Amino acid sequence: MTIILGLEGTAWNLSAALVSEERVIYEAESTYKPEYGGIHPREAAQHHASELKNVVARALRGADKEKEGFSLDIIDAIAFSQGPGMGPCLRTVATAARALSISLKIPLIGVNHCVAHIEIGRWQCGTKDPVVLYVSGANSQVLAYRADRYRILGETLDIGIGNALDKFARYLRLSHPGGPKIEELASKGTKYVYMPYVVKGMDLSFSGLTTAAKDAFDLHLEEKADICYSFQETAFAMLTEVTERAMSHCGKDDMLLAGGVGANRRLQQMLQTMCHDREARFYVPEAKYLKDNGAMIAYLGLLMLKSGDTTPIEKSEVNPNYRPDEVEVTWRDVE
Ligand code: AMP
Ligand code: MG
C-alpha cells in the first residue's frame, strides 16, 4: 500500500489528507473566515501558517484512530498544491511540504490544483474520459483530455463564476462565501430580470453580469430574490451552453462537474437536463470533494508518484497562475 499526505491551501481552506490506492484514509481541515469582505491573501496565509501543524497532526491522529497505526514515517510522499492560487497561501503550504519532504526523506510532488479537482472527480465517480466543467471561486473552465493534456476548451475571460457570485453577495451585505446564500435567495425568485448573457465563442465573461445585478439592486425596482434568480439562470445557462458545445465537438458522452460552485443544485439540474437530452452521463462527486480539499491533492500525488513524476526541491516554487494545460499528464492510459 502506498500512502500520500496531501496538503491543500490555495485560498481560504487549509486541508491535509492521507490517501492510499483504495481510499481516502482521513482528512482534517481548518477554514479561514474573513470578518468582513472577501479573502485577504496575507491574512489567509497567516491562518494557514498558524494552523498547519494542527491540521497535519489531526489528519495523522484521525487516521491512527482507524487502528492502522499511522505516524509520519509510514507516509511514502508529500503532495502539495503548487498552483494556481493566492501567492502568500501557496508559499506557506509549499514551505511546510518541503520541510516535511526533507526531514522525512521522502519525495515531494507539486500538483496542479485544477487537475487534482478533475482526478478526484474521475476517481470518486468512476468516469473515464469526461468533459469537465470546473467552476470555483477564481476559475471557470471547460476541459477535456487529449494527447497527454487536459485541454482548456473554454474559460472565463475575466472573473470566475464563484467570485462573481461572492462579489454580488458582498454587495447585498451577505458574508463570505456568498454562493450558497445567493442560491438560497434565488430559490425564492420567480421573475426573470434582464441580465447580460456573454458567451464569446467558447469563452465566457461574468463581470458585466455582476455589475448588472448590482445596478438592478441599486434601482430598487426588482426584488432581491428575483435578481439572484436571474443572475443564476443567466450565468448557469452560459456555462451549460459552452459545456454542451465542448461535448458535441469532442464526441464525449460523459460530463463531470468540479469545483466549489458545483455544489449549486440549480447548476447541477441544468447540466443534468442538458446531458439527459443528449443521452450523455452526468457525474458530480460528493460536496466534500467539490470544494478545495487535501484528498484530491494526495490522490493526484499518488497517481504522479506511481508514474515516477516527482518534484525536485529546486523545481518546487509555487505558480499562482499555473494552468492545467501546462501539466503533462503522465498517469493516464493512452486514449
Ligand atoms: P472553491 O474555490 O472550489 O473552494 O469554491 C469556492 C466557491 O464556491 C466560492 O465562490 C463559493 O461562493 C462557491 N460556492 C459554494 N457553494 C455554492 C453554492 N451552493 N452555489 C454557488 N456557489 C457556491
Ligand atoms: Mg479549487
Side-chain angles (χ1 to χ4, degrees):
M1 187 164 66
T2 311
I3 294 174
I4 311 288
L5 172 65
L7 301 179
E8 157 61 29
T10 54
W12 66 318
N13 197 31
L14 176 70
S15 167
L18 290 160
V19 167
S20 73
E21 288 92 341
E22 283 104 51
R23 65 193 181 101
V24 176
I25 299 164
Y26 201 84
E27 171 149 23
E29 62 177 16
S30 170
T31 308
Y32 155 77
K33 296 201 177 68
E35 274 168 37
Y36 60 92
I39 306 171
H40 190 301
R42 193 186 57 232
E43 281 178 13
Q46 277 163 357
H47 163 269
H48 295 357
S50 58
E51 287 291 314
L52 248 160
K53 186 170 152 255
N54 278 337
V55 167
V56 171
R58 275 201 280 128
L60 287 164
R61 265 205 313 276
D64 194 29
K65 278 205 193 98
E66 301 203 343
K67 306 250 182 308
E68 294 187 37
F70 287 92
S71 70
L72 275 174
D73 41 281
I74 57 105
I75 299 167
D76 294 291
I78 306 285
F80 71 102
S81 279
Q82 205 167 2
M86 294 178 171
C89 300
L90 290 170
R91 283 192 289 277
T92 303
V93 176
T95 304
R98 283 184 208 108
L100 282 166
S101 158
I102 293 169
S103 63
L104 298 170
K105 301 192 178 60
I106 53 176
L108 181 67
I109 306 160
V111 316
N112 180 290
H113 175 96
C114 312
V115 176
H117 270 292
I118 299 175
E119 293 302 349
I120 192 114
R122 286 210 307 133
W123 184 39
Q124 294 293 316
C125 299
T127 158
K128 265 197 163 146
D129 190 27
V131 163
V132 182
L133 174 62
Y134 169 47
V135 275
S136 68
N139 300 293
S140 300
Q141 291 171 334
V142 177
L143 309 108
Y145 178 76
R146 178 144 200 267
D148 298 333
R149 298 209 181 227
Y150 284 105
R151 312 280 164 178
I152 302 171
L153 303 174
E155 63 186 317
T156 180
L157 297 168
D158 42 56
I159 54 176
I161 175 63
N163 283 354
L165 290 164
D166 293 341
K167 268 182 200 222
F168 180 52
R170 274 206 298 279
Y171 205 70
L172 301 181
R173 306 210 172 277
L174 301 169
S175 65
H176 190 86
K181 288 148 203 154
I182 300 275
E183 177 175 18
E184 174 66 30
L185 278 165
S187 69
K188 301 188 183 93
T190 47
K191 180 179 154 213
Y192 184 80
V193 182
Y194 172 79
M195 294 277 154
Y197 184 103
V198 189
V199 173
K200 301 185 179 192
M202 289 292 282
D203 293 326
L204 308 136
S205 154
F206 296 109
S207 69
L209 189 56
T210 312
T211 308
K214 286 178 181 172
D215 287 349
F217 180 67
D218 283 343
L219 290 172
H220 297 297
L221 297 175
E222 313 292 349
E223 292 294 329
K224 218 180 340 189
D226 289 334
I227 302 172
C228 293
Y229 164 75
S230 309
F231 189 121
Q232 280 201 171
E233 292 301 300
T234 309
F236 297 166
M238 288 161 52
L239 290 164
T240 306
E241 178 195 327
V242 173
T243 307
E244 176 166 34
R245 200 151 49 242
M247 292 174 79
S248 165
H249 181 74
C250 300
K252 297 195 200 271
D253 290 329
D254 278 14
M255 196 244 126
L256 174 69
L257 184 56
V261 183
N264 189 289
R265 273 157 307 169
R266 180 59 184 142
L267 176 60
Q268 292 182 6
Q269 196 181 44
M270 278 197 198
L271 293 165
Q272 172 94 63
T273 304
M274 178 273 284
C275 287
H276 180 265
D277 287 352
R278 46 187 302 113
E279 293 176 8
R281 288 171 297 262
F282 171 66
Y283 295 96
V284 55
E286 281 174 75
K288 64 179 174 186
Y289 298 127
L290 281 169
K291 67 172 199 172
D292 294 345
N293 63 89
M296 67 182 193
I297 304 303
Y299 178 67
L300 177 52
L302 178 70
L303 296 177
M304 290 172 71
L305 182 73
K306 297 233 150 172
S307 55
D309 198 355
T310 60
T311 310
I313 296 280
E314 61 277 13
K315 290 205 174 138
S316 66
E317 74 275 22
V318 302
N319 179 357
N321 301 313
Y322 197 6
R323 288 170 64 79
D325 55 359
E326 288 176 58
V327 179
E328 192 194 335
V329 175
T330 52
W331 56 89
R332 272 183 65 149
D333 299 336
V334 248
E335 282 149 88

